[in-house]
Amino acid sequence: MIILEMFSDEINIKTSKRMELVNITNKVKDVVKSSNISDGIVNVFTRHTTSAIFINENESRLLGDFEKVIEKLIPMGGSYGHNAIDNNADSHLRAMIIGGSQSIPLVGGSLDLGTWQSIFFVEFDGPRRRRVRVTVIGR
């Protein structure tokens, strides 16, 4: 029988813009190191409905392209029903299409990311203080 362990911690993020991409790869690695788990899975989850988590290359032009595409697909100030409540429907919709979590394999104590992959927290309704839950499960 294999017994699995679980370790969980939070990453605190303070954003300064309405839409902001924050590379949290090193913070996730710090949580993994603290877990003392060498093989398993790492889940990174944002606890907010107007933010998201994605994995991609940390290249400034690509990240700028991402922001332009998101603005084109779901423009701020559009005619959205939710805007009658708090005028941030675009933020909720953007978060829905990107997604609130990512899972990464953990192999030999290291995140099994590809050469160019980084983990990003994406703020869509900032500036705000945010919390990201990192959960490590394995042995």
Side-chain angles (χ1 to χ4, degrees), residues 10-11 18 26 31 39 82 91 111 117-118 123 127 131 138:
E10 272 187 356
I11 295 171
R18 185 154 199 283
N26 287 334
V31 173
D39 295 288
H82 181 74
S91 300
L111 295 170
Q117 290 182 319
S118 294
E123 173 68 73
R131 296 178 302 174

Side-chain angles (χ1 to χ4, degrees), residues 14-80:
K14 184 178 181 218
T15 61
S16 59
K17 299 187 286 189
R18 185 154 199 283
M19 186 183 339
E20 185 173 347
L21 286 68
V22 181
N23 185 341
I24 61 170
T25 308
N26 287 334
K27 291 181 179 187
V28 173
K29 286 179 180 180
D30 290 344
V31 173
V32 168
K33 185 176 180 181
S34 295
S35 77
N36 292 317
I37 296 172
S38 63
D39 295 288
I41 192 115
V42 178
N43 181 263
V44 182
F45 171 75
T46 178
R47 302 183 51 172
H48 310 280
T49 60
T50 57
S51 65
I53 303 290
F54 74 82
I55 296 173
N56 213 304
E57 185 174 349
N58 186 15
E59 194 276 315
S60 61
R61 291 168 293 197
L62 177 63
L63 299 178
D65 291 341
F66 170 85
E67 290 185 20
K68 288 177 190 171
V69 167
I70 287 293
E71 179 59 34
K72 187 174 181 179
L73 287 174
I74 305 171
M76 189 169 95
S79 180
Y80 309 114

Side-chain angles (χ1 to χ4, degrees), residues 37 39-43 103-106 135-138:
I37 296 172
D39 295 288
I41 192 115
V42 178
N43 181 263
S103 293
I104 304 107
L106 179 63
T135 304
V136 185
I137 301 172

Side-chain angles (χ1 to χ4, degrees), residues 82-133:
H82 181 74
N83 280 347
I85 297 171
D86 57 9
N87 205 33
N88 68 348
D90 63 298
S91 300
H92 288 281
L93 294 168
R94 291 169 178 186
M96 279 189 238
I97 65 167
I98 302 303
S101 69
Q102 292 287 320
S103 293
I104 304 107
L106 179 63
V107 178
S110 297
L111 295 170
D112 195 23
L113 292 168
T115 301
W116 303 110
Q117 290 182 319
S118 294
I119 306 164
F120 287 89
F121 170 84
V122 189
E123 173 68 73
F124 291 119
D125 194 29
R128 293 183 182 264
R129 292 185 185 275
R130 302 296 200 164
R131 296 178 302 174
V132 172
R133 172 67 58 188

